[in-house]
Every structure is written in C-alpha cells, then in structure tokens.
Amino acid sequence: MPRKELYHHYQLEIETLSPVSIGCKSQLTSRGEYFLTGNKTHFIDQDGISEILYQNLTEEDKKEYLATVLNQGVDFNFTDFFKNKGISLEQIPISRSLSFIGDATLVNKNRLLKLHIKSGADENQNNSAYFPGSSLKGMIRTAMVYVHLKSHPELVSKFADKINNWSQIDKYELSKEWKVLEDSIIGKEANQLRIADTQNISDTDMAVYQVRREPLYFTESDSELDWLEECVDKGHKIFGALTYVQKNTKELACINFVPNILLGLNEWMTDMLDFEILEIEKSNMPKKEIVLAQLKSLIESSLQNNEYAAIARLGSGKTFMFNTILLLLEKGLRERILMTVLKTDSIKTRILCSHEKAPLKGWIKLNLRKL
C-alpha cells in the first residue's frame, strides 16, 4: 500500500456550548494591566501608558503609581488614580478590548485575570487564542481509556486492590499509578492519533468571564473567591484537523477508529454527567438548581450511539480524579479517596461562571468529517 494511503485525515469542528478556557501561566491584575468599563474589558498598552505617565504626571505622581503597581498595592484603584489626576479613561491607551460578562463593580479588589493560551504571532503579528491539539488529544485519550476499563472490570479491580493496600492515599501517587495504567492500555494506539492545533480564534469570539470556586457543601464561613478568565465565548465554531495513522494493511482499526472516538466520548461524558448530577443533588451549593438544569439539559442533548458527533468537557475547571478514577471505583474506595484528598484538593468544589443564568463552563460539541 502506498505510504499516503496510511494516513486518514478528518476535519475537526468544535462548537462551544459554554465558555471554554485553556489557561496558561500568564495573568493580569487590575492594578495597571486591564480595566473594565460596563460590559468591556480593556487591556492596557504598556508602552502607551508609559507615555501618558511621562507627559501628564509629576515626578511624585509617577513614583506613587510605580510604587503601588510594583508593590502590588491591595487598595490601588487604577481608574480612580487617573481620574484624580485629570486623565479620563478615554485617554488610556489600550491594545485590545473584549466583552465582559460579570459584575464590573467588583474589579477594584485587584483580582487576577487569567489568560487563555495563545499561539505565536499570526500574519498580522498578533498573538491569537487557539485550542491546543495536545489538550484535545488528552481528552480523547482519557475517554478511550475509560471505555476500555469499563469493559474490563478485572483491570479496575487490580488497580483498586493496589490502592486499598496503601496505608494512606496520596493524590500524587494515585495520579502516577493511573498514568501507568493508562499507558499500558493505550500507549501505542495514542501514538497513531494526531491532532493539530486549531485555527486561531479572533477576539470577536473571545470574552472575559467572572468565575468563582463554589463548595458543594456551602457554609456561612465560606468566603467568596472569584477571579476573571479570558475564554472562548459560547456559540462559536472552531476548526482543526485529526489524522489517524494506519500502521499496516491488516489493521481494521482505521474503519472504526474515528466512530469509536465519538462513541467513547459520549459514553464517558454521559456517565460523568450522571455522576455529577448525583453529587450536585446532594449538595447545598448556591446555584444548585441552575447548575442541575444545565447539566440535565446536556444529558438530554447527549449524543449516545452517535458516530458523527460528541459532547465533551475541555479546559480549566475540572479535576483529574473526578473525571477519571472516581467514575470507575466502588463507593467505599471512592469515598476514602474523597475524604483523604478533601483537605488538599478542590474535588469538593466546582468552578462556575458568576453569570446567574449560565454558570457552566468548558462544554463543547465535536464533529468529525472525513477528508
């Protein structure tokens, strides 16, 4: 068989069903890197703001500004500072602006704005958002492992026996054991799956969302913890490419490989949604009813037995153990893990958008088309 026939190419279409953020390590603060006006987030041009400082402020004003910014002053209000110096917000140079979904009155607490991962410069010399192929492949890889383990309970039992023999469960050791199990199941198959980074995503498809970590079991002593995230907004389609490499002519996997990807994703996500709904129903989290309604809506629109499309979860806001290990283990060991990692892990919390009508984040719909 000619070499070119060993590569099976597919177009990958990703539709965002809710805001999606694949975070990087970069983040901004409201001390002098961004500010909000109504429903807009403005990213400050640092070269331009330096020029404003040079032209309009006294030496004492400059020292005050720089000292506060560099020392991360908690009470510093960027917009009030410039208004008090006679400089309007319209004069502040900005590099880009995105829609803002949240409560703009809260931003003066100097909260962080976590940025979405960016590509290198495009043809216009701009850094653009995208979905990394590695993130998409990791999501698909985990689904394939999950489906395999679900149909081979003896492997799950062997894994559980090993964990039960530990005197104390350590989440890092647990993650390490899970990785060994994953590699033993799908190491070679995963190497035959190649997913390219998606196309660049324009700012018109991006937005900044106020998000917060909410405990499942909320008490009066719990304080609000919220921040901002740069997200690919809901309701947009992003395109990428998937290639399956058929190693020899005797392989039949190429015929069923892609349909099985989508079937596996749907099975994994349906099980995860069922489990999530049970967890939320037991909770007293503030947005419980809204969250349940949205999760049940995803269940109703889930695509079981669909070979052409799948619903999946991508990006920040999910926990490793919740998405993989816990779904497969019997209740006793599951609860032991939960109680052990509860003090050091966020497994008993959920990251939700603060928008009261649409708190879920990270949900996408995948479509694959043979090229």
Side-chain angles (χ1 to χ4, degrees), residues 47-113:
D47 290 335
I49 202 66
S50 296
E51 188 68 21
I52 290 285
L53 288 168
Y54 178 77
Q55 292 180 351
N56 295 277
L57 301 185
T58 66
E59 288 301 317
E60 288 302 312
D61 289 339
K62 294 174 191 175
K63 289 178 181 178
E64 178 187 352
Y65 176 81
L66 293 174
T68 307
V69 171
L70 293 175
N71 294 326
Q72 303 182 355
V74 174
D75 297 322
F76 180 68
N77 186 313
F78 174 87
T79 54
D80 284 351
F81 175 85
F82 278 91
K83 285 179 181 178
N84 291 336
K85 306 302 179 184
I87 300 171
S88 68
L89 293 183
E90 288 74 18
Q91 292 175 268
I92 303 300
I94 57 176
S95 58
R96 57 196 287 254
S97 296
L98 300 179
S99 297
F100 172 70
I101 294 90
D103 184 355
T105 63
L106 297 177
V107 79
N108 293 330
K109 294 181 180 178
N110 293 322
R111 63 176 42 75
L112 295 176
L113 166 53

Side-chain angles (χ1 to χ4, degrees), residues 237-296:
K237 292 184 178 180
I238 300 99
F239 295 92
L242 179 150
T243 298
Y244 176 71
V245 183
Q246 183 183 349
K247 292 297 185 183
N248 58 67
T249 57
K250 295 181 180 180
E251 281 186 354
L252 295 177
C254 63
I255 300 173
N256 298 314
F257 188 81
V258 169
N260 283 341
I261 285 176
L262 299 175
L263 290 170
L265 273 171
N266 282 321
E267 183 175 354
W268 177 38
M269 288 296 150
T270 301
D271 289 353
M272 191 171 73
L273 282 166
D274 285 336
F275 185 52
E276 174 78 333
I277 286 169
L278 289 175
E279 286 286 301
I280 300 297
E281 284 177 338
K282 293 185 296 183
S283 78
N284 66 345
M285 63 191 305
K287 294 182 179 180
K288 174 178 175 177
E289 298 306 322
I290 299 173
V291 172
L292 280 174
Q294 289 197 304
L295 290 171
K296 290 176 180 178

